[in-house]
Amino acid sequence: MAAKAEDASTAAAVGKAVMVVGIDDSEHSFYALQWTLLHFFSPAVRPSGPYKLVIVTAKPTPTSVISVASPGAADVLPFVESDLRKISSQVIEKAKDICSAHSVLDVEYEVVEGDARNVLCEAVDKRHAEMLVVGSHGYGAIKRAVLGSVSDYCAHHAHCTVMIVKKPKPKH
Amino acid sequence: MEESQTPVKAEGGGEDKKMKVLVAVEESEGSLYALSWALDNLFTSACDVPDKTESLGRLVLIHAQQQPLQHFMHPVGPCMTDPHHRSFPVLFSTRESHVYREKQTMTKNCMSCLVAAVYATSSVIDSVRRAQEQNSRNLLERATQVCRSKLVEAEMVIVDGDPKEMICQFAEQMQADLLVVGSRGLSKMRRAILGSVSDYCAHHATCPVLIVKPPKGNHP
């Protein structure tokens, strides 16, 4: 924790605003990351770019994934946990690849356990981020009501500027 | 290594960053703050260039004028019988655009809405329209001032109609790379964390949307 606080303060000391990019394992997230790198971390500004990039992914807790408590649940938990952990690390690996493909090296990666909505908003608060970037699944109203929308929650509740990057729909 | 001081002249590297940025301007304070935030943060690459927009693409300011007139006022004239059942317009605040939408559909069901009709001569309608245009022009003047003080040239567009839809449509038409909106609307409700226009744009715009929140000092 102390290390993290130090990081945030050194970033602030250098005068760089923090930009948090929230990703999950969907295509939309990676598109959002690429779009952000393209437009905010392009070669023109890179040497003294205005933002410090922090990539955050939320790892759901196993108990939130298994909704029914049953005798077998306890046995399944470890497998679910390792599965989730594997997915998160794959997400981070892919993010690292994307960043190095765009030659952006000064990046922090963080995996936080919990619900994506809270994780992202807390990350913003903790690091005093100037901007939060999220992708969007582009759910319609019904799906959003049923599945919930992280980007929607963040747009309402984050304490900083929020950028919602959408993957353009292919034109028919 | 290229110095970031030299203006980028549309070479391979600079190309990527050229963005067409559309900023929605309305009369709320949040909106002008959003504009200055966007200017500060999106147009920072060139330092002492007289016109920063060169390196960053286009900045377009859009202001959507609502048309309360057609639902408020009816011109007094020979055709007083309105076959479209619009002779029961509803009086309400023009700023609450989401409420606006609901009430439109309610005009068919006259029992449950407030009934008030304002019949106005064409001169009154004209003067209201002119006042509205004057307002819009003042607003855009202020916005251009802000842009000029940050050394950015902006284009201005005024559209008529429902702000939410017009802004999203325009963003699609001009193929904007980014749409910037403020977060609070004119309603000034403390609990309205996100105005209706910003909310609509966040869900329905086809391009990336940037929602600028007011600085922490203003949190109630």
Side-chain angles (χ1 to χ4, degrees):
Chain A
M1 275 303 206
K4 290 267 157 55
E6 230 177 69
D7 267 333
S9 58
T10 45
V14 172
K16 283 202 190 193
V18 176
M19 182 195 291
V20 174
V21 178
I23 55 173
D24 63 6
D25 57 346
S26 69
E27 274 305 310
H28 304 266
S29 284
F30 292 118
Y31 176 81
L33 178 59
Q34 281 170 339
W35 192 94
T36 309
L37 290 174
L38 207 59
H39 289 91
F40 286 86
F41 293 88
S42 71
V45 291
R46 214 183 302 126
S48 58
Y51 288 105
K52 164 140 178 64
L53 184 62
V54 176
I55 295 184
V56 176
T57 182
K59 177 170 100 56
T61 54
T63 42
S64 68
V65 172
I66 307 174
S67 44
V68 177
S70 67
D75 295 333
V76 174
L77 265 176
F79 293 106
V80 174
E81 166 75 23
S82 69
D83 206 35
L84 290 173
R85 207 176 293 148
K86 196 162 50 138
I87 293 176
S88 298
S89 57
Q90 277 172 357
V91 165
I92 295 289
E93 280 308 308
K94 193 161 174 192
K96 283 187 183 162
D97 288 338
I98 295 176
C99 287
S100 52
H102 285 264
S103 318
V104 179
L105 301 169
D106 178 27
V107 189
E108 240 182 86
Y109 301 91
E110 203 177 344
V111 178
V112 185
E113 182 152 337
D115 184 62
R117 288 168 255 234
N118 299 326
V119 162
L120 291 180
C121 291
E122 276 167 30
V124 162
D125 286 335
K126 192 172 76 171
R127 293 161 180 282
H128 307 289
E130 175 105 4
M131 192 149 119
L132 171 66
V133 183
V134 289
S136 164
H137 287 272
Y139 289 152
I142 297 176
K143 263 190 175 168
R144 202 180 296 130
V146 172
L147 296 170
S149 166
V150 174
S151 56
D152 202 34
Y153 183 89
C154 291
H156 281 76
H157 297 272
H159 292 144
C160 66
T161 303
V162 178
M163 182 155 75
I164 302 177
V165 181
K166 305 182 193 198
K167 195 163 175 186
K169 295 197 174 79
K171 299 238 164 22
H172 297 292
Chain B
M1 283 285 253
E2 268 186 325
E3 286 282 308
S4 59
Q5 312 263 335
T6 55
V8 179
K9 286 291 180 186
E11 277 160 16
E15 238 3 300
D16 305 5
K17 205 160 189 236
K18 278 193 190 287
M19 281 203 278
K20 278 187 281 196
V21 181
L22 180 64
V23 181
V25 177
E26 40 172 38
E27 274 165 41
S28 64
E29 267 182 39
S31 183
L32 284 178
Y33 176 73
L35 175 60
S36 57
W37 192 97
L39 291 169
D40 284 335
N41 291 277
L42 300 175
F43 290 85
T44 51
S45 63
C47 304
D48 298 312
V49 180
D51 180 11
K52 287 185 190 179
T53 35
E54 242 179 59
S55 50
L56 249 300
R58 284 169 64 195
L59 176 69
V60 180
L61 305 180
I62 180 170
H63 175 63
Q65 267 180 354
Q66 274 193 313
Q67 289 294 350
L69 302 180
Q70 69 219 59
H71 294 274
F72 256 24
M73 302 186 183
H74 284 268
V76 172
C79 54
M80 291 274 281
T81 54
D82 191 340
H84 302 291
H85 301 286
R86 280 167 57 193
S87 51
F88 294 100
V90 180
L91 276 180
F92 51 81
S93 160
T94 58
R95 308 300 186 197
E96 297 290 310
S97 27
H98 60 282
V99 175
Y100 189 69
R101 214 45 0 194
E102 270 171 56
K103 301 279 188 188
Q104 267 188 320
T105 55
M106 276 164 74
T107 48
K108 300 252 170 80
N109 180 11
C110 310
M111 302 285 271
S112 49
C113 52
L114 293 167
V115 176
V118 179
Y119 292 92
T121 57
S122 55
S123 60
V124 173
I125 289 182
D126 276 343
S127 67
V128 171
R129 193 170 290 145
R130 251 177 291 139
Q132 215 182 25
E133 277 171 12
Q134 187 60 34
N135 260 349
S136 309
R137 246 175 286 144
N138 288 344
L139 181 63
L140 285 177
E141 268 299 310
R142 268 189 293 162
T144 352
Q145 287 294 354
V146 175
C147 291
R148 225 168 274 150
S149 67
K150 314 245 182 189
L151 306 173
V152 177
E153 279 300 312
E155 302 163 33
M156 290 190 291
V157 175
I158 303 184
V159 290
D160 282 331
D162 190 14
K164 329 190 260 257
E165 292 173 6
M166 290 293 121
I167 292 175
C168 291
Q169 263 178 38
F170 192 78
E172 196 162 345
Q173 270 172 27
M174 71 172 265
Q175 304 262 301
D177 289 309
L178 185 65
L179 171 63
V180 180
V181 293
S183 70
R184 301 230 185 135
L186 296 160
S187 59
K188 292 196 172 60
M189 266 168 55
R190 284 180 167 209
R191 253 169 277 143
I193 314 170
L194 194 62
S196 56
V197 173
S198 322
D199 194 42
Y200 185 93
C201 291
H203 292 148
H204 295 265
T206 49
C207 64
V209 179
L210 186 79
I211 302 173
V212 182
K213 307 264 170 122
K216 293 199 168 72
N218 292 0
H219 269 240

